[in-house]
Amino acid sequence: MESKGSAIKKSSSGNGTGSSHLWDLLSEDTRTLFKEYDLNNDGFITVDEILEVFKKKGHNVDEKQVKQLFAFADTNGDEKISVDEFSDAIHLCLQVKEKFQRLDLDHTDHLDVKEVKQYLRDHYKLANDEKEYDKIFEKMDLDHDGRISFNEFARFWFDYKKAGVRPNYNSDAFLQWIYISSSLPISNGMIDLGQIKSKFDIWPVRMALGGIACGTATVFTNPVDVLKTRMQLNASRSTGGLSTALFSVLREPGGIFNLWNGLSAALLRAASYSSTRLAFYATMKDLIEGVLGKGAPGTLGDLGRKALAGCASGSIAATIANPIEVVKVRMQANKAKYPSTISTFKSLLAEEGIKGIFAGLIPHVLRGAAITSSQISTYDHIKGWFIRRGLMKEGLNVHFVSSMIAGVITTTCSSPFDVVKTRMMINKGQSAWVAIGNVWSEGGPRAFFRGWLPNYGRLGPHTVITLVVFEQLRHVLGLKPV
């Protein structure tokens, strides 16, 4: 039986389009790729063979698309792709891939404004006009997300270069060949790195990452949470300061360890509430954009969609985690009466029933909506603002700065809900309106921001630690940034 290599050598030299030694010069990967499509082992690839391979891989492409990519490589028009024609098409793909990788210095699979502008300055004879560069960037940025994906870059590269490579074809066929050369998932017959999902992009993993990130932040910020709760429960403005709350906690049996009262419940809350809201945010944002359409990056419409996604994910998570929140607050307020998570659950159910563990549900849900919409959506928006303007790149620095700013906004937006929620969870049977009235009578509007400083002392670092750890964990597992 004739060997694969000899068959290809004969066919290549026979059609007069390439060297009979080309097969020996190709890399092993390219040979393997050619063999994958040359199903009958005759040294050529046909339209039917490409269609059959695509169907085996489960790719929903029609014959018209396949004929388009086939004609792109069949330069001599003999209705079959030889080794040298195949190699030539692959070489074009490797060229653009190499250029993209050289420009993508931070390995985010996207190019920012600075990277693209530098590329344009280095490779194209354009007037040194920033407005001209901005126009080209907007033209390249087909999905208007403020970044250039590999797909977008490849289209631009080919459309500019095609007069010298394939003047009679558009970039669609070229992107088909990029798919073939890289063995990446296909979407409508074209590659899109932005749509490639990591094998870890599943609900259990996303929730686990959220839980780990928030759990890490909780351990470090629980002492401030205890002080905030004590300050909010103190009805006297003159004795409700941070130092008073701290000395009160330290004087109780247990001393400094009292600052970690309710930690077990807080960690349980992180595993339920925090993991759910972080995991739900991206899903809610996709659903809202599916109904309303995508807003232009950086606009109020874009921020509004993110805020709605935050409200939805935060409300769902707060409803699920309300019983755990009640337990945590009771333990932080009175360790002697509520010494452990399990005993507090039992005591609440025995004394107050289901109503007890859902005390303060409405302000808790409103707080969850306020925190998630102001924290994650603000972080998402601010980070995008820095990246779109080329001020910072995707990475630790922009994660840290964006989360610091988001922490201030989150604390301010959530503080009134937090004060009312705490009162309702401590005072059995108290309605939201009664709690609001009591808080108002103690100090007017300012009373709703009692404990803001310790609240920020917790939420600020908590936001930073949570989002930075969450982003790093996603990066390690190959998931897209928030």
Side-chain angles (χ1 to χ4, degrees):
M1 183 176 177
E2 193 173 40
S3 71
K4 180 75 177 181
S6 61
I8 292 176
K9 286 177 187 178
K10 287 180 180 179
S11 61
S12 291
S13 57
N15 67 16
T17 60
S19 167
S20 62
H21 300 290
L22 180 60
W23 180 256
D24 296 326
L25 298 176
L26 294 179
S27 68
E28 184 61 34
D29 288 340
T30 306
R31 295 182 194 181
T32 302
L33 191 59
F34 189 93
K35 293 176 185 177
E36 182 180 354
Y37 287 87
D38 182 19
L39 300 178
N40 64 2
N41 196 34
D42 68 349
F44 295 99
I45 298 173
T46 64
V47 170
D48 290 338
E49 286 174 324
I50 294 175
L51 267 173
E52 188 173 341
V53 172
F54 276 15
K55 287 178 180 177
K56 285 181 180 178
K57 292 185 175 184
H59 301 323
N60 185 25
V61 292
D62 57 33
E63 189 172 352
K64 182 179 178 181
Q65 288 176 305
V66 173
K67 284 182 177 179
Q68 185 183 45
L69 77 90
F70 182 86
F72 182 90
D74 182 23
T75 53
N76 66 356
D78 64 355
E79 298 187 355
K80 52 188 177 182
I81 297 173
S82 63
V83 177
D84 53 344
E85 289 173 324
F86 181 83
S87 178
D88 185 38
I90 295 297
H91 178 67
L92 288 175
C93 300
L94 296 180
Q95 274 186 279
V96 70
K97 286 173 66 178
E98 183 183 8
K99 288 182 182 296
F100 184 86
Q101 289 173 1
R102 283 206 307 265
L103 292 170
D104 185 24
L105 299 177
D106 50 4
H107 307 294
T108 60
D109 292 333
H110 286 84
L111 304 181
D112 59 29
V113 176
K114 282 186 176 179
E115 289 170 331
V116 172
K117 284 184 177 181
Q118 190 59 51
Y119 170 75
L120 294 173
R121 291 189 186 100
D122 293 344
H123 294 83
Y124 300 96
K125 295 179 180 180
L126 299 173
N128 191 18
D129 184 352
E130 290 299 315
K131 290 184 179 179
E132 186 68 22
Y133 289 130
D134 289 337
K135 286 181 182 178
I136 295 174
F137 184 87
E138 289 177 7
K139 186 177 180 181
M140 294 173 70
D141 187 17
L142 300 176
D143 59 5
H144 307 295
D145 67 348
R147 304 179 299 172
I148 304 302
S149 67
F150 179 61
N151 184 28
E152 291 167 331
F153 180 79
R155 279 186 179 279
F156 175 82
W157 182 89
F158 180 79
D159 286 339
Y160 192 89
K161 292 281 190 181
K162 70 179 181 180
V165 289
R166 294 289 193 279
N168 298 323
Y169 296 95
N170 60 32
S171 53
D172 288 347
F174 179 56
L175 292 176
Q176 296 273 9
W177 276 97
I178 287 178
Y179 157 68
I180 290 177
S181 70
S182 55
S183 301
L184 291 171
I186 197 165
S187 174
N188 295 324
M190 293 178 289
I191 182 177
D192 185 353
L193 290 180
Q195 295 183 8
I196 299 169
K197 287 192 174 182
S198 163
K199 63 181 179 181
F200 297 108
D201 193 10
I202 53 177
W203 267 98
V205 173
R206 282 182 294 183
M207 291 194 68
L209 296 186
I212 292 170
C214 290
T216 303
T218 297
V219 171
F220 288 99
T221 60
N222 197 80
V224 186
D225 198 24
V226 171
L227 297 178
K228 176 210 70 174
T229 299
R230 293 298 181 92
M231 288 180 67
Q232 290 175 345
L233 292 176
N234 196 325
S236 171
R237 286 174 286 171
S238 61
T239 61
L242 178 60
S243 59
T244 301
L246 177 60
F247 287 129
S248 173
V249 171
L250 294 178
R251 280 198 300 265
E252 295 173 1
I256 194 171
F257 294 105
N258 292 328
L259 293 172
W260 278 271
N261 284 350
L263 180 61
S264 58
L267 290 174
L268 187 58
R269 179 179 180 275
S272 55
Y273 168 70
S274 300
S275 62
T276 301
R277 70 189 183 93
L278 284 173
F280 258 98
Y281 175 71
T283 302
M284 292 295 105
K285 188 167 73 168
D286 289 342
L287 287 174
I288 290 169
E289 288 179 346
V291 174
L292 302 179
K294 276 192 174 185
T299 63
L300 287 176
D302 180 40
L303 179 59
R305 287 163 172 79
K306 293 172 182 174
L308 282 175
C311 285
S313 59
S315 299
I316 294 169
T319 303
I320 294 171
N322 199 81
I324 300 169
E325 179 71 8
V326 174
V327 169
K328 185 198 76 166
V329 170
R330 294 290 180 94
M331 290 176 68
Q332 289 177 343
N334 193 337
K335 180 70 173 178
K337 184 176 180 181
Y338 302 109
S340 70
T341 303
I342 300 300
S343 64
T344 304
F345 260 122
K346 290 180 178 178
S347 176
L348 280 169
L349 287 172
E351 296 175 9
E352 303 172 40
I354 296 297
K355 187 177 180 180
I357 62 174
F358 281 97
L361 176 63
I362 293 176
H364 188 217
V365 168
L366 293 175
R367 176 183 178 273
I371 281 187
T372 309
S373 63
S374 60
Q375 184 187 62
I376 303 178
S377 61
T378 300
Y379 167 80
D380 188 0
H381 201 71
I382 293 170
K383 187 181 77 165
W385 186 87
F386 281 124
I387 293 173
R388 281 192 302 274
R389 280 156 181 77
L391 300 174
M392 304 180 83
K393 293 183 178 181
E394 181 70 52
L396 186 59
N397 289 340
V398 74
H399 298 163
F400 180 79
V401 173
S402 302
S403 58
M404 282 287 289
I405 299 171
V408 174
I409 297 171
T410 301
T411 304
T412 304
C413 291
S414 65
S415 190
F417 302 108
D418 200 34
V419 171
V420 174
K421 177 214 69 171
T422 300
R423 293 296 183 88
M424 291 181 65
M425 289 183 173
I426 292 297
N427 300 309
K428 302 175 183 179
Q430 190 175 83
S431 69
W433 290 114
V434 171
I436 291 171
N438 289 340
V439 174
W440 182 273
S441 67
E442 292 164 12
R446 292 182 62 184
F448 288 94
F449 295 91
R450 178 175 292 140
W452 188 96
L453 186 60
N455 201 13
Y456 177 70
R458 173 188 173 271
L459 264 180
H462 195 283
T463 299
V464 173
I465 296 170
T466 296
L467 293 173
V468 169
V469 172
F470 188 57
E471 292 274 32
Q472 296 306 306
L473 290 173
R474 290 178 69 88
H475 176 71
V476 168
L477 295 183
L479 299 175
K480 291 191 297 182
V482 173

